[in-house]
Every structure is written in C-alpha cells, then in structure tokens.
Amino acid sequence: MTGTEPRQPGPRRPRERGVRSSSAAGLQAERTLLAWQRTLILLFAVALLHLRDALQNGGAQPGDGAWYRLLPAMVLLVALGVLVVHLRRRWRTTDHGVHDDRTGRPPAPVARPWALVLVSAVSGVLAVGVAVSTLPA
Amino acid sequence: MAAGSDPSTGGVQTGDERSGGSRGVEPDYRFTLANERTFLAWIRTALALIAGAVAVLHLVPLDWHAGVQLAIGLALTGLAIVITVYAPLRWLSVQKAMRRGRPLPMSALPVITAVGVALVCGVVLIGSYWL
C-alpha cells in the first residue's frame, strides 16, 4: 500500500451509487428489451405458421375462407411493425434504457402501457383467428 | 423533480410519469420492469398455446377422431384467449398494488393454466389411444 489512493468515503459514495444504479438500470432495462424481442419474434413465428396454413389451404380452395385467415395475420404484422418502431425509438431516446429525460431515471416500463395492451390484444386476435378458421371446416 | 426521488430507494410521485393511471408513489423501476417481463412471459405462454393449437388443427397430420382434434385445438385457443385478456389486467393490478405499497394480489391464472394444460394432456393421451 503506497497510500496514493486515499479513501474518501464521504464524497465518493454518491457517485458510486449513481454509477452502480445506472449500470444495474442498463441491465434491467436490457433484460426487459430482450424479453420484448423474444415475445415479438415468437409472435412473428406463430403468425407465419398461421399464414402458411392459410396460404396452403387458400390455394387449394380459393374463397372467403382464405381472407378470414389472412386478415388476422395481416393485422398482426402491422401491429408488429408499430411495436418494433416504438421500442426502437424509445430505446434510443432513453439512451439505451439508462436515462429517461422526463423522469430522470431508467425507463419503466420499457414500452408504454399502450404497447402492452396492443401486444396482448394482437395475441388475442390471433387466437380468435385460429379458432374461427377451424369452425367452418 | 423532488429531491428524494432516488430510484433505488424511493419513488417518484405519479404525475411525473403515468404508467397505468392511479394514485400512489411510483415503485422502484426494477419492480416495474420485472412486472413488465412477467407480463411478456404470460404473452409468450399464450403464443405457445396458439402455436400448439395451429399444429393440432392444421399442420400435423393426426389420425384422431375429428371431434377430439377440434376440442383440443379450441381448448388451447380458449386458454390463450383467457391469458391474453387477463395478462394486462394482472399487470395493471400489480402495478397499482406496488404503487400503494400493498401486498401483491393473488391470481387464479397459474391454476387455470395448469389445470387447462393438464386437461389437454389427458385428452391427447385418450385421443391418441382411442383412434
């Protein structure tokens, strides 16, 4: 110990806490963003699964049935684009999930509440679409 | 901005950021984010059930009784619909409880999901031995 680094518990403490909380903030918000990405990727995959079925059966028997199946998937793809844009924009404006200018703390929730409602509504629409597509057959 | 709005210890008065619209003190942001992740996990559960329904109803060639196949597919989609309706309500009620410092509300959704999936498994088992 050369003593070149004098301990300064008083002044250092707030800054340490600030650094620690901001790095923890980055991790927490990033985990949440990754959860969003998993969810949206799964949503996309399930939509494609449903769409594939609609296109295959629609080719075999063209008619209104194909549109009933295509419509939920189209709505879903549009909503997916809206959600991706919203998440990207909010992630950038909050300095990669570290600092929200309006509140001075990490963004919580990462997406706005309407995005939560939108993603659940779209999943519900997809479920209804899957159920309806089987009923006439 | 209030001086005591340290995100790791205290909260921010609502009005600064409204994430659900109710009175109370905004909880630690980590709790809000955890609540959001829980919501997203429920949505993924619902999506997995939908994928299973699509597989049973359309994709996988099953030589089951048609009624059994339809019942399983509709049960899976019904369960998914229940989850997608309930997940945002659950998110909101947990958020409100955290703002007011109350204990988190109990939820019947895990039990419903578990019983539903168990029933579907039972029907699949019966259906695959029946025909």
Side-chain angles (χ1 to χ4, degrees):
Chain A
M1 295 296 277
T2 58
T4 53
E5 289 179 353
R7 295 184 62 189
Q8 295 174 333
R12 277 184 67 95
R13 195 172 170 79
R15 217 177 59 183
E16 269 183 358
R17 282 188 57 184
V19 167
R20 195 193 62 196
S21 74
S22 74
S23 66
L27 288 179
Q28 294 288 322
E30 200 169 335
R31 282 178 65 190
T32 311
L33 185 74
L34 289 173
W36 267 105
Q37 288 175 353
R38 285 201 297 277
T39 306
L40 294 184
I41 287 170
L42 188 60
L43 194 59
F44 187 62
V46 176
L48 282 186
L49 210 63
H50 185 57
L51 200 61
R52 171 181 180 271
D53 175 64
L55 289 178
Q56 278 188 343
N57 286 10
Q61 36 172 337
D64 295 345
W67 282 109
Y68 281 124
R69 293 178 192 184
L70 277 173
L71 204 60
M74 290 302 171
V75 168
L76 190 143
L77 289 179
V78 169
L80 208 57
V82 169
L83 286 170
V84 167
V85 167
H86 172 64
L87 280 171
R88 274 193 71 85
R89 185 173 291 173
R90 192 155 154 79
W91 190 247
R92 278 188 189 165
T93 56
T94 57
D95 201 8
H96 297 271
V98 170
H99 179 82
D100 191 353
D101 281 339
R102 294 192 321 130
T103 59
R105 58 193 179 106
V110 164
R112 295 223 178 276
W114 63 260
L116 306 189
V117 174
L118 179 63
V119 74
S120 62
V122 154
S123 305
V125 165
L126 184 64
V128 170
V130 169
V132 165
S133 71
T134 64
L135 285 181
Chain B
M1 187 66 69
S5 63
D6 185 355
S8 61
T9 56
V12 180
Q13 291 292 326
T14 47
D16 289 346
E17 174 160 19
R18 159 193 171 287
S19 57
S22 73
R23 286 186 308 235
V25 177
E26 198 64 27
D28 186 339
Y29 67 89
R30 286 172 291 184
F31 298 159
T32 303
L33 291 174
N35 191 16
E36 191 180 4
R37 287 197 295 272
T38 308
F39 164 82
L40 290 171
W42 274 117
I43 294 296
R44 285 197 298 276
T45 305
L47 288 173
L49 292 174
I50 295 172
V54 172
V56 166
L57 290 173
H58 299 300
L59 294 182
V60 181
L62 298 168
D63 49 354
W64 290 349
H65 196 276
V68 174
Q69 198 169 341
L70 194 65
I72 289 174
L74 290 183
L76 286 173
T77 49
L79 213 54
I81 290 169
V82 168
I83 290 175
T84 53
V85 168
Y86 199 86
L89 302 178
R90 168 82 182 154
W91 178 82
L92 193 61
S93 68
V94 167
Q95 199 70 20
K96 279 181 182 170
M98 289 196 301
R99 280 203 201 103
R100 295 172 185 179
R102 288 184 186 162
L104 298 185
M106 287 293 283
S107 165
L109 198 55
V111 176
I112 292 173
T113 309
V115 169
V117 171
L119 281 178
V120 167
C121 288
V123 174
V124 166
L125 209 60
I126 292 171
S128 56
Y129 281 113
W130 188 12
L131 264 177

PDB file of all heavy atoms in Angstrom, chain B residues 58-75:
ATOM      1  N   HIS B  58     -54.118 -27.824 -37.867  1.00  0.00           N
ATOM      2  CA  HIS B  58     -53.845 -27.687 -39.298  1.00  0.00           C
ATOM      3  C   HIS B  58     -52.597 -28.413 -39.768  1.00  0.00           C
ATOM      4  O   HIS B  58     -52.598 -29.002 -40.838  1.00  0.00           O
ATOM      5  CB  HIS B  58     -53.697 -26.208 -39.653  1.00  0.00           C
ATOM      6  CG  HIS B  58     -54.916 -25.410 -39.367  1.00  0.00           C
ATOM      7  ND1 HIS B  58     -56.131 -25.658 -39.950  1.00  0.00           N
ATOM      8  CD2 HIS B  58     -55.122 -24.362 -38.536  1.00  0.00           C
ATOM      9  CE1 HIS B  58     -57.021 -24.803 -39.510  1.00  0.00           C
ATOM     10  NE2 HIS B  58     -56.434 -24.000 -38.642  1.00  0.00           N
ATOM     11  N   LEU B  59     -51.514 -28.312 -39.014  1.00  0.00           N
ATOM     12  CA  LEU B  59     -50.224 -28.667 -39.594  1.00  0.00           C
ATOM     13  C   LEU B  59     -49.900 -30.148 -39.484  1.00  0.00           C
ATOM     14  O   LEU B  59     -49.524 -30.779 -40.464  1.00  0.00           O
ATOM     15  CB  LEU B  59     -49.115 -27.841 -38.923  1.00  0.00           C
ATOM     16  CG  LEU B  59     -49.202 -26.348 -39.203  1.00  0.00           C
ATOM     17  CD1 LEU B  59     -48.051 -25.625 -38.534  1.00  0.00           C
ATOM     18  CD2 LEU B  59     -49.158 -26.094 -40.687  1.00  0.00           C
ATOM     19  N   VAL B  60     -50.072 -30.691 -38.283  1.00  0.00           N
ATOM     20  CA  VAL B  60     -49.626 -32.067 -38.082  1.00  0.00           C
ATOM     21  C   VAL B  60     -50.716 -33.021 -38.547  1.00  0.00           C
ATOM     22  O   VAL B  60     -51.871 -32.891 -38.133  1.00  0.00           O
ATOM     23  CB  VAL B  60     -49.312 -32.303 -36.589  1.00  0.00           C
ATOM     24  CG1 VAL B  60     -48.818 -33.724 -36.372  1.00  0.00           C
ATOM     25  CG2 VAL B  60     -48.278 -31.308 -36.127  1.00  0.00           C
ATOM     26  N   PRO B  61     -50.373 -33.943 -39.409  1.00  0.00           N
ATOM     27  CA  PRO B  61     -51.389 -34.919 -39.840  1.00  0.00           C
ATOM     28  C   PRO B  61     -51.659 -35.933 -38.744  1.00  0.00           C
ATOM     29  O   PRO B  61     -50.843 -36.803 -38.454  1.00  0.00           O
ATOM     30  CB  PRO B  61     -50.738 -35.579 -41.058  1.00  0.00           C
ATOM     31  CG  PRO B  61     -49.279 -35.386 -40.866  1.00  0.00           C
ATOM     32  CD  PRO B  61     -49.102 -34.122 -40.125  1.00  0.00           C
ATOM     33  N   LEU B  62     -52.807 -35.780 -38.096  1.00  0.00           N
ATOM     34  CA  LEU B  62     -53.183 -36.664 -37.000  1.00  0.00           C
ATOM     35  C   LEU B  62     -54.378 -37.485 -37.443  1.00  0.00           C
ATOM     36  O   LEU B  62     -55.321 -36.959 -38.034  1.00  0.00           O
ATOM     37  CB  LEU B  62     -53.560 -35.834 -35.766  1.00  0.00           C
ATOM     38  CG  LEU B  62     -52.463 -34.953 -35.173  1.00  0.00           C
ATOM     39  CD1 LEU B  62     -53.060 -33.995 -34.168  1.00  0.00           C
ATOM     40  CD2 LEU B  62     -51.403 -35.820 -34.524  1.00  0.00           C
ATOM     41  N   ASP B  63     -54.321 -38.763 -37.145  1.00  0.00           N
ATOM     42  CA  ASP B  63     -55.492 -39.582 -37.469  1.00  0.00           C
ATOM     43  C   ASP B  63     -56.327 -39.811 -36.224  1.00  0.00           C
ATOM     44  O   ASP B  63     -56.619 -40.932 -35.840  1.00  0.00           O
ATOM     45  CB  ASP B  63     -55.061 -40.912 -38.105  1.00  0.00           C
ATOM     46  CG  ASP B  63     -53.969 -41.582 -37.284  1.00  0.00           C
ATOM     47  OD1 ASP B  63     -53.501 -40.949 -36.328  1.00  0.00           O
ATOM     48  OD2 ASP B  63     -53.615 -42.733 -37.601  1.00  0.00           O
ATOM     49  N   TRP B  64     -56.630 -38.678 -35.583  1.00  0.00           N
ATOM     50  CA  TRP B  64     -57.511 -38.751 -34.430  1.00  0.00           C
ATOM     51  C   TRP B  64     -58.954 -38.617 -34.884  1.00  0.00           C
ATOM     52  O   TRP B  64     -59.242 -38.293 -36.037  1.00  0.00           O
ATOM     53  CB  TRP B  64     -57.219 -37.619 -33.450  1.00  0.00           C
ATOM     54  CG  TRP B  64     -55.929 -37.739 -32.740  1.00  0.00           C
ATOM     55  CD1 TRP B  64     -55.113 -38.826 -32.716  1.00  0.00           C
ATOM     56  CD2 TRP B  64     -55.296 -36.728 -31.959  1.00  0.00           C
ATOM     57  NE1 TRP B  64     -54.015 -38.562 -31.963  1.00  0.00           N
ATOM     58  CE2 TRP B  64     -54.103 -37.290 -31.482  1.00  0.00           C
ATOM     59  CE3 TRP B  64     -55.624 -35.433 -31.608  1.00  0.00           C
ATOM     60  CZ2 TRP B  64     -53.232 -36.574 -30.673  1.00  0.00           C
ATOM     61  CZ3 TRP B  64     -54.775 -34.732 -30.803  1.00  0.00           C
ATOM     62  CH2 TRP B  64     -53.584 -35.300 -30.334  1.00  0.00           C
ATOM     63  N   HIS B  65     -59.816 -38.834 -33.926  1.00  0.00           N
ATOM     64  CA  HIS B  65     -61.219 -38.505 -34.137  1.00  0.00           C
ATOM     65  C   HIS B  65     -61.313 -36.992 -34.343  1.00  0.00           C
ATOM     66  O   HIS B  65     -60.646 -36.214 -33.658  1.00  0.00           O
ATOM     67  CB  HIS B  65     -62.022 -38.930 -32.900  1.00  0.00           C
ATOM     68  CG  HIS B  65     -63.492 -38.997 -33.136  1.00  0.00           C
ATOM     69  ND1 HIS B  65     -64.306 -37.903 -33.063  1.00  0.00           N
ATOM     70  CD2 HIS B  65     -64.285 -40.038 -33.451  1.00  0.00           C
ATOM     71  CE1 HIS B  65     -65.546 -38.256 -33.325  1.00  0.00           C
ATOM     72  NE2 HIS B  65     -65.563 -39.559 -33.564  1.00  0.00           N
ATOM     73  N   ALA B  66     -62.131 -36.585 -35.322  1.00  0.00           N
ATOM     74  CA  ALA B  66     -62.182 -35.155 -35.666  1.00  0.00           C
ATOM     75  C   ALA B  66     -62.654 -34.320 -34.484  1.00  0.00           C
ATOM     76  O   ALA B  66     -62.172 -33.207 -34.265  1.00  0.00           O
ATOM     77  CB  ALA B  66     -63.113 -34.950 -36.855  1.00  0.00           C
ATOM     78  N   GLY B  67     -63.605 -34.873 -33.704  1.00  0.00           N
ATOM     79  CA  GLY B  67     -64.107 -34.127 -32.555  1.00  0.00           C
ATOM     80  C   GLY B  67     -63.037 -33.891 -31.508  1.00  0.00           C
ATOM     81  O   GLY B  67     -62.939 -32.807 -30.935  1.00  0.00           O
ATOM     82  N   VAL B  68     -62.216 -34.901 -31.290  1.00  0.00           N
ATOM     83  CA  VAL B  68     -61.148 -34.770 -30.305  1.00  0.00           C
ATOM     84  C   VAL B  68     -60.163 -33.707 -30.750  1.00  0.00           C
ATOM     85  O   VAL B  68     -59.744 -32.842 -29.964  1.00  0.00           O
ATOM     86  CB  VAL B  68     -60.441 -36.134 -30.115  1.00  0.00           C
ATOM     87  CG1 VAL B  68     -59.236 -35.972 -29.194  1.00  0.00           C
ATOM     88  CG2 VAL B  68     -61.393 -37.147 -29.542  1.00  0.00           C
ATOM     89  N   GLN B  69     -59.814 -33.769 -32.018  1.00  0.00           N
ATOM     90  CA  GLN B  69     -58.852 -32.797 -32.547  1.00  0.00           C
ATOM     91  C   GLN B  69     -59.384 -31.375 -32.406  1.00  0.00           C
ATOM     92  O   GLN B  69     -58.677 -30.464 -31.952  1.00  0.00           O
ATOM     93  CB  GLN B  69     -58.597 -33.127 -34.011  1.00  0.00           C
ATOM     94  CG  GLN B  69     -57.356 -32.517 -34.579  1.00  0.00           C
ATOM     95  CD  GLN B  69     -57.034 -33.095 -35.937  1.00  0.00           C
ATOM     96  OE1 GLN B  69     -57.519 -34.178 -36.288  1.00  0.00           O
ATOM     97  NE2 GLN B  69     -56.249 -32.372 -36.706  1.00  0.00           N
ATOM     98  N   LEU B  70     -60.655 -31.194 -32.779  1.00  0.00           N
ATOM     99  CA  LEU B  70     -61.254 -29.863 -32.685  1.00  0.00           C
ATOM    100  C   LEU B  70     -61.336 -29.405 -31.235  1.00  0.00           C
ATOM    101  O   LEU B  70     -61.059 -28.236 -30.926  1.00  0.00           O
ATOM    102  CB  LEU B  70     -62.649 -29.903 -33.317  1.00  0.00           C
ATOM    103  CG  LEU B  70     -63.276 -28.547 -33.614  1.00  0.00           C
ATOM    104  CD1 LEU B  70     -62.468 -27.828 -34.673  1.00  0.00           C
ATOM    105  CD2 LEU B  70     -64.715 -28.723 -34.067  1.00  0.00           C
ATOM    106  N   ALA B  71     -61.691 -30.327 -30.360  1.00  0.00           N
ATOM    107  CA  ALA B  71     -61.816 -29.954 -28.942  1.00  0.00           C
ATOM    108  C   ALA B  71     -60.482 -29.512 -28.385  1.00  0.00           C
ATOM    109  O   ALA B  71     -60.399 -28.511 -27.655  1.00  0.00           O
ATOM    110  CB  ALA B  71     -62.364 -31.136 -28.146  1.00  0.00           C
ATOM    111  N   ILE B  72     -59.431 -30.224 -28.745  1.00  0.00           N
ATOM    112  CA  ILE B  72     -58.105 -29.850 -28.227  1.00  0.00           C
ATOM    113  C   ILE B  72     -57.688 -28.492 -28.769  1.00  0.00           C
ATOM    114  O   ILE B  72     -57.207 -27.631 -28.031  1.00  0.00           O
ATOM    115  CB  ILE B  72     -57.078 -30.927 -28.599  1.00  0.00           C
ATOM    116  CG1 ILE B  72     -57.333 -32.190 -27.781  1.00  0.00           C
ATOM    117  CG2 ILE B  72     -55.667 -30.431 -28.352  1.00  0.00           C
ATOM    118  CD1 ILE B  72     -56.466 -33.340 -28.183  1.00  0.00           C
ATOM    119  N   GLY B  73     -57.886 -28.301 -30.075  1.00  0.00           N
ATOM    120  CA  GLY B  73     -57.497 -27.016 -30.653  1.00  0.00           C
ATOM    121  C   GLY B  73     -58.269 -25.864 -30.043  1.00  0.00           C
ATOM    122  O   GLY B  73     -57.688 -24.826 -29.702  1.00  0.00           O
ATOM    123  N   LEU B  74     -59.573 -26.048 -29.869  1.00  0.00           N
ATOM    124  CA  LEU B  74     -60.367 -24.957 -29.308  1.00  0.00           C
ATOM    125  C   LEU B  74     -60.042 -24.737 -27.840  1.00  0.00           C
ATOM    126  O   LEU B  74     -60.046 -23.594 -27.362  1.00  0.00           O
ATOM    127  CB  LEU B  74     -61.860 -25.251 -29.495  1.00  0.00           C
ATOM    128  CG  LEU B  74     -62.329 -25.164 -30.950  1.00  0.00           C
ATOM    129  CD1 LEU B  74     -63.830 -25.391 -31.025  1.00  0.00           C
ATOM    130  CD2 LEU B  74     -61.969 -23.830 -31.559  1.00  0.00           C
ATOM    131  N   ALA B  75     -59.740 -25.811 -27.120  1.00  0.00           N
ATOM    132  CA  ALA B  75     -59.359 -25.636 -25.721  1.00  0.00           C
ATOM    133  C   ALA B  75     -58.071 -24.832 -25.617  1.00  0.00           C
ATOM    134  O   ALA B  75     -57.953 -23.930 -24.768  1.00  0.00           O
ATOM    135  CB  ALA B  75     -59.191 -26.998 -25.054  1.00  0.00           C
TER     136      ALA B  75
END
